[in-house]
Amino acid sequence: MRHNEKAGNIFSCLSALLFVIVSAFVFNVLIADFVSPDTAIAANRNFSAIKTGKATKKSTNKTSKTKKKIHQKTAYLTFDDGPSVNTDKVLDILDRYKIKATFFVVGRTDKASIRRYKEIVKRGHNIGLHSLTHNYKLVYASLDSFKKDVYAIRDIVKKYTGVDSKIYRFPGGSSNGVAKINMHKAIKWIRSAGYQYFDWNLGGTDAAYPPPSANAIYNAIAMYAGSNTDKIVLLHDSKDKVNTLRALPRIIELLKREGYRFAKITKNTKPVHHRVNPKYKIK
């Protein structure tokens, strides 16, 4: 009898426990059904927010790319000290890449040089003034000699090309320390005469002696080509600059990869001006 009572008690306990478990399950299902719409809405909102975040990021990136295209940085390739036999080769390379550049020329009146002055203009490039002789002692002997030098190269360019150029580059740059005259006075006069002068903010160091290799010229440009500012690039097309010719296609391709467009300098181009050598005092 006691054994049967114990068995009955155990059965009753198990039945009660089973009832509690089943009831709890049903209650949870009912509750889940009741709250699931709000829970689903909340979950969808969260998921939408995540998706929207990703979409916004993509959209922002797209906008940035669009802005980058609108405000594309510019490289102004400039070539000093020509014309020479290398000018013809530079012009051919520029034609190949469909690029316009600027040539700051010195004064030469032989037939080949006259043809090259004309060819620069004919192919759509701009021609600037870089002195008659590039001889520092003659150019910078006095303010009067400087003025005469500017007008002499101006007259040669105008006579043979018809261009009355108003852009100028100082031999050695406006920061040179070799001029006998005060460079502040030279700058003041060049502006008063209606010219805009242009230094550079990216140089290929191809004017150095001994002449650098093509790789060295390229590397000098590559070192600073990645910034987000416009670049006035200094190169040379005089007859001894063979390595500049070798480096030029690589330089162009590098600047294109870095996102630059190419343009020629005009009087309205935003100039780059070096700091005047401190040996010259403002008076």
Side-chain angles (χ1 to χ4, degrees), residues 52-66:
T52 304
K54 288 182 179 177
T56 304
K57 190 172 183 181
K58 286 181 181 177
S59 176
T60 304
N61 289 340
K62 195 172 183 180
T63 305
S64 294
K65 287 178 182 177
T66 305

Side-chain angles (χ1 to χ4, degrees), residues 106-243:
V106 297
R108 297 192 177 102
T109 55
D110 58 281
K111 287 184 180 179
S113 295
I114 291 169
R115 178 187 62 77
R116 287 168 185 140
Y117 289 137
K118 293 178 178 179
E119 196 67 20
I120 289 169
V121 175
K122 180 182 176 182
R123 297 203 198 184
H125 306 285
N126 213 348
I127 193 164
L129 313 178
H130 192 43
S131 79
L132 180 65
T133 64
H134 207 287
N135 183 317
Y136 295 145
K137 289 182 179 179
L138 295 177
V139 174
Y140 296 128
S142 68
L143 188 58
D144 282 341
S145 65
F146 176 69
K147 292 177 184 179
K148 289 176 183 176
D149 186 274
V150 171
Y151 287 140
I153 183 60
R154 176 204 65 182
D155 290 345
I156 288 173
V157 169
K158 188 174 180 180
K159 178 179 179 180
Y160 295 115
T161 68
V163 176
D164 186 8
S165 179
K166 294 297 182 182
I167 61 174
Y168 185 83
R169 174 166 285 160
F170 289 100
S174 67
S175 58
N176 82 81
V178 299
K180 186 177 178 180
I181 59 172
N182 187 321
M183 284 303 297
H184 288 290
K185 290 184 177 180
I187 290 168
K188 183 178 179 181
W189 179 81
I190 203 84
R191 285 171 164 165
S192 70
Y195 296 91
Q196 178 61 275
Y197 74 95
F198 292 85
D199 289 310
W200 59 92
N201 56 358
L202 187 58
T205 67
D206 58 342
Y209 186 84
S213 66
N215 280 340
I217 294 169
Y218 171 83
N219 289 336
I221 298 292
M223 187 178 297
Y224 299 104
S227 66
N228 290 320
T229 57
D230 291 349
K231 291 288 186 286
I232 295 181
V233 184
L234 173 65
L235 296 167
H236 295 77
D237 62 325
S238 46
K239 64 181 180 181
D240 59 332
K241 304 305 178 189
V242 177
N243 286 337

Side-chain angles (χ1 to χ4, degrees), residues 31-76:
I31 291 297
D33 286 342
F34 177 76
V35 299
S36 63
D38 289 337
T39 306
I41 290 169
N44 286 338
R45 281 176 182 162
N46 290 336
F47 183 68
S48 296
I50 293 169
K51 287 178 73 177
T52 304
K54 288 182 179 177
T56 304
K57 190 172 183 181
K58 286 181 181 177
S59 176
T60 304
N61 289 340
K62 195 172 183 180
T63 305
S64 294
K65 287 178 182 177
T66 305
K67 283 183 178 178
K68 197 175 278 186
K69 287 180 181 178
I70 294 171
H71 302 290
Q72 190 174 15
K73 54 192 179 181
T74 303
Y76 300 92

